[in-house]
């Protein structure tokens, strides 16, 4: 009798654990919080690369459909959301375009500081067209200048053009025309890039470097042979990344907007 009781108990315990595992998978799939063992969303790859020039790159690779642009007014690490910092800002006003499906991240369409404008300058903006599934960099002063198939089916993140394929002219465009801040200073830096296959790369340094050193490190190590284009994002203490257990806080300041990766 005792042996049969033990067998029945063991059977019930196995059934309990099977139901529990099924519940976790179903609920996790519905809520979108199934993560890898390192806390990074499924469909998102993290890598860390140090270039010969000493610049350490932390890279999140994902699909454009996994990107969300959100106003957080917090440090990226403290937000507990995987991703990196976004574009330039001042206090509670976004100075770079940050728009999803016609809605700016920090306010209403055409409102100053909402993310509708690249304030003061036509600046490099990565645009993802959800209809054609194409990526490109467009120099624009506002969302009104951008080209897309459907004004309710796209996202656009502003920064400063990196002109990956123009080694002789990139500096003039980035610094003299688009006014990249402090290009010659050694500072923390961040960027957004994409390759010829339509993959997105979110890149943050954990070492201080000049804009040229940062650009060189990206060209030599990210999507080697297939890198298409990139933009500089906000930098220095605003260069922040959260990738599961990997945390880069910059100087611990709050940023107004971030680029989230949601996984697949």
């Amino acid at each position: 009798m005792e042996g049969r009781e033990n067998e029945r108990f063991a059977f019930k315990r196995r059934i309990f654990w099977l139901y529990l595992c099924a519940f976790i998978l179903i609920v996790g799939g519905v809520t979108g919080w199934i993560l890898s063992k390192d806390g990074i969303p499924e469909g998102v790859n993290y890598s860390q690369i140090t270039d010969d020039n000493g610049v350490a790159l932390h890279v999140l690779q994902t699909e454009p459909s996994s990107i969300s642009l959100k106003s957080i007014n917090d440090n990226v690490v403290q937000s507990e959301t995987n991703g990196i910092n976004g574009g330039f800002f001042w206090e509670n006003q976004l100075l770079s375009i940050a728009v999803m499906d016609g809605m700016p991240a920090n306010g209403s369409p055409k409102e100053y500081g909402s993310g509708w404008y690249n304030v003061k300058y036509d600046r490099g903006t990565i645009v993802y067209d959800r209809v054609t599934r194409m990526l490109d960099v467009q120099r624009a002063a506002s969302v009104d200048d951008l080209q897309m198939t459907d004004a309710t089916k796209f996202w656009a993140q502003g920064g400063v053009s990196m002109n990956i394929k123009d080694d002789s002219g990139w500096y003039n465009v980035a610094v003299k025309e688009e006014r990249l801040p402090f290009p010659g200073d050694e500072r923390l830096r961040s960027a957004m890039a994409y390759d010829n296959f339509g993959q997105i790369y979110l890149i943050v340094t954990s070492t201080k470097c000049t804009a040229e050193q940062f650009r060189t490190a990206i060209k030599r190590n990210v999507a080697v042979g297939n890198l298409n284009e990139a933009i500089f994002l906000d930098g220095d203490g605003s260069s922040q990344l959260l990738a599961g257990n990997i945390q880069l806080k910059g100087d611990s300041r709050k940023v107004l907007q971030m680029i989230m990766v949601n996984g697949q």
Side-chain angles (χ1 to χ4, degrees), residues 23-71:
F23 174 79
I24 290 171
L25 287 172
I26 292 169
V27 174
V30 171
T31 58
W33 50 253
I34 294 180
L35 303 176
S36 71
K37 64 180 180 179
D38 297 318
I40 299 172
E42 293 292 340
V44 180
N45 295 315
Y46 165 79
S47 60
Q48 191 273 322
I49 312 150
T50 300
D51 186 65
D52 290 342
N53 64 11
V55 176
L57 304 176
H58 297 258
V59 184
L60 285 171
Q61 176 187 354
T62 191
E63 300 282 346
S65 57
S66 296
I67 296 295
S68 295
L69 310 178
K70 182 180 179 181
S71 179

Side-chain angles (χ1 to χ4, degrees), residues 1-240:
M1 289 295 292
E2 184 178 347
R4 290 180 181 177
E5 288 296 326
N6 288 338
E7 287 178 5
R8 281 196 291 269
F9 176 77
F11 176 75
K12 290 179 180 179
R13 185 170 59 181
R14 286 196 295 270
I15 293 298
F16 169 79
W17 283 110
L18 284 172
Y19 274 109
L20 179 62
C21 290
F23 174 79
I24 290 171
L25 287 172
I26 292 169
V27 174
V30 171
T31 58
W33 50 253
I34 294 180
L35 303 176
S36 71
K37 64 180 180 179
D38 297 318
I40 299 172
E42 293 292 340
V44 180
N45 295 315
Y46 165 79
S47 60
Q48 191 273 322
I49 312 150
T50 300
D51 186 65
D52 290 342
N53 64 11
V55 176
L57 304 176
H58 297 258
V59 184
L60 285 171
Q61 176 187 354
T62 191
E63 300 282 346
S65 57
S66 296
I67 296 295
S68 295
L69 310 178
K70 182 180 179 181
S71 179
I72 60 169
N73 194 29
D74 200 354
N75 188 276
V76 168
V77 171
Q78 296 300 318
S79 76
E80 299 183 349
T81 304
N82 288 285
I84 72 169
N85 61 283
F88 303 101
F89 67 97
W90 174 252
E91 295 182 345
N92 65 343
Q93 296 178 333
L94 272 179
L95 306 181
S96 297
I97 288 173
V99 173
M100 289 198 67
D101 301 325
M103 290 301 299
N106 192 50
S108 303
K110 301 183 186 297
E111 179 183 5
Y112 183 88
S114 67
W116 194 262
Y117 301 99
N118 285 325
V119 176
K120 292 186 179 181
Y121 311 106
D122 289 6
R123 280 177 160 170
T125 303
I126 292 185
V127 180
Y128 176 61
D129 189 317
R130 295 190 192 277
V131 178
T132 63
R133 298 184 180 179
M134 297 296 291
L135 289 154
D136 67 344
V137 171
Q138 302 179 30
R139 293 181 69 187
S142 80
V143 174
D144 299 309
D145 302 329
L146 298 177
Q147 301 296 314
M148 77 285 292
T149 305
D150 187 327
T152 65
K153 297 178 180 178
F154 77 101
W155 59 252
Q157 175 63 61
V160 169
S161 300
M162 198 173 284
N163 284 308
I164 286 294
K165 299 173 184 176
D166 186 3
D167 288 341
S168 63
W170 78 269
Y171 188 89
N172 183 68
V173 173
V175 178
K176 296 182 180 179
E177 296 180 16
E178 299 188 18
R179 304 291 182 177
L180 176 68
F182 310 107
D185 289 6
E186 292 191 345
R187 301 191 173 213
L188 299 175
R189 300 195 180 265
S190 57
M192 187 181 206
Y194 62 92
D195 65 20
N196 295 325
F197 303 107
Q199 287 285 295
I200 288 286
Y201 299 84
L202 305 177
I203 309 160
V204 174
T205 64
S206 55
T207 52
K208 296 182 178 181
C209 57
T210 67
E212 183 174 11
Q213 289 170 332
F214 183 42
R215 180 178 178 275
T216 297
I218 289 173
K219 285 195 63 172
R220 293 200 295 218
N221 295 281
V222 177
V224 179
N226 286 297
L227 189 61
N228 192 309
E229 196 50 271
I231 59 173
F232 294 97
L233 298 170
D234 199 2
D236 203 25
S238 295
S239 291
Q240 301 169 14

